[in-house]
């Protein structure tokens, strides 16, 4: 497990949060496997089986774990098994036939058009900070940026003529996002 976590951190450039989540999820699985197989000295790759994985998923269900949490644990386990197979420590794939639970699709809460208009109009555009806040709210609303992307935007990232903004998204991926003329006007006013 330590070698796999080092691989994630060093070779896959995974974030510390991702590595910590994988450590928790896989440690939970390995503890379950040790209890189930009676392998007190430690679980070996050869001990992993489809029945063990299904038993783990059943235990998570009995514990009332959310579908998203179970799906994340299965994903971590799949990555770990791929690593073990690549390293020649495991010949079979005990997770191949394990089914991840379907994720729930909840519709996110959102503001009505009137609420959004009121929110955008709150800043006092007679002041420099008010114009800045209005420009930020317009850009945030018009482009659908994440908050972390919005606060990372610099002036050189904004193309007013082309009405595009360059943002650094999740996973340090850069993307270009269009915005509307009202946003361009608010940015020019600022």
């Amino acid at each position: 497990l330590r070698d796999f976590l080092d691989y994630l951190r060093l070779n896959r450039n995974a974030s510390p949060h991702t590595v910590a989540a994988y450590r928790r999820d896989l440690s939970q699985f390995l503890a379950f496997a040790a209890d189930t197989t009676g392998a007190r000295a430690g679980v070996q790759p050869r001990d992993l089986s489809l029945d063990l994985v299904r038993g783990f998923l059943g235990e998570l269900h009995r514990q009332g774990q959310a579908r998203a949490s179970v799906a994340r644990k299965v994903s971590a386990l799949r990555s770990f098994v791929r690593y073990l197979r690549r390293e020649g420590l495991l010949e079979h794939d005990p997770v191949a036939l394990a089914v991840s639970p379907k994720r729930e699709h909840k519709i996110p809460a959102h503001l009505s058009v009137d609420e959004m208009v009121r929110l955008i109009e709150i800043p006092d555009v007679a002041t420099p900070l008010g114009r800045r806040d209005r420009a930020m709210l317009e850009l945030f609303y018009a482009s659908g940026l994440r908050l972390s992307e919005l606060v990372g935007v610099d002036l050189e990232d904004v193309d007013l003529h082309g009405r595009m903004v360059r943002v650094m998204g999740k996973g340090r991926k850069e993307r270009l996002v269009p915005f509307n003329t009202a946003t361009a006007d608010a940015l020019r006013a600022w």
Side-chain angles (χ1 to χ4, degrees):
L1 178 58
R2 275 192 296 274
D3 290 344
F4 173 64
L5 296 174
D6 287 342
Y7 164 77
L8 287 177
R9 187 175 23 260
L10 302 172
N11 294 16
R12 299 288 305 274
N13 199 24
S15 77
H17 296 292
T18 299
V19 173
Y22 272 64
R23 178 184 296 114
R24 281 189 309 273
D25 293 343
L26 293 172
S27 293
Q28 183 182 7
F29 170 74
L30 293 174
F32 172 83
D35 286 345
T36 302
T37 62
R40 298 289 174 218
V43 177
Q44 298 300 314
R46 67 180 173 274
D47 298 331
L48 304 182
S49 68
L50 177 60
D51 288 340
L52 192 60
V53 172
R54 285 183 174 158
F56 179 62
L57 295 177
E59 179 60 26
L60 295 175
H61 178 71
R62 278 188 289 285
Q63 292 174 3
Q65 295 269 331
R67 289 180 184 182
S69 298
V70 175
R72 188 194 68 232
K73 291 172 194 295
V74 171
S75 177
L77 194 51
R78 285 186 203 286
S79 295
F80 185 47
V81 166
R82 258 194 316 274
Y83 170 80
L84 292 174
R85 293 186 71 200
R86 192 171 34 252
E87 294 296 311
L89 300 170
L90 189 62
E91 291 182 20
H92 65 287
D93 186 350
V95 189
L97 297 177
V99 179
S100 289
K102 297 267 189 220
R103 290 189 180 219
E104 298 176 68
H105 294 288
K106 295 180 182 174
I107 297 174
H110 63 279
L111 299 176
S112 69
V113 174
D114 291 339
E115 291 169 326
M116 196 63 226
V117 168
R118 283 197 311 270
L119 178 66
I120 289 175
E121 291 176 350
I122 286 175
D124 179 10
V125 293
T127 68
L129 287 179
R131 288 190 295 274
R132 181 207 60 191
D133 291 350
R134 169 74 64 90
M136 288 176 65
L137 287 170
E138 286 279 3
L139 182 60
F140 196 38
Y141 177 63
S143 62
L145 296 179
R146 296 176 181 93
L147 182 58
S148 60
E149 294 171 335
L150 177 68
V151 299
V153 171
D154 290 323
L155 284 177
E156 59 267 10
D157 297 328
V158 178
D159 175 9
L160 283 174
H161 180 70
R163 293 196 333 251
M164 299 289 276
V165 62
R166 181 181 31 248
V167 296
M168 189 63 67
K170 290 174 72 172
R172 307 250 340 125
K173 291 186 178 118
E174 188 177 280
R175 62 190 179 108
L176 288 174
V177 180
F179 54 84
N180 60 19
T181 54
T183 302
D185 294 341
L187 286 165
R188 279 190 193 91
W190 174 57

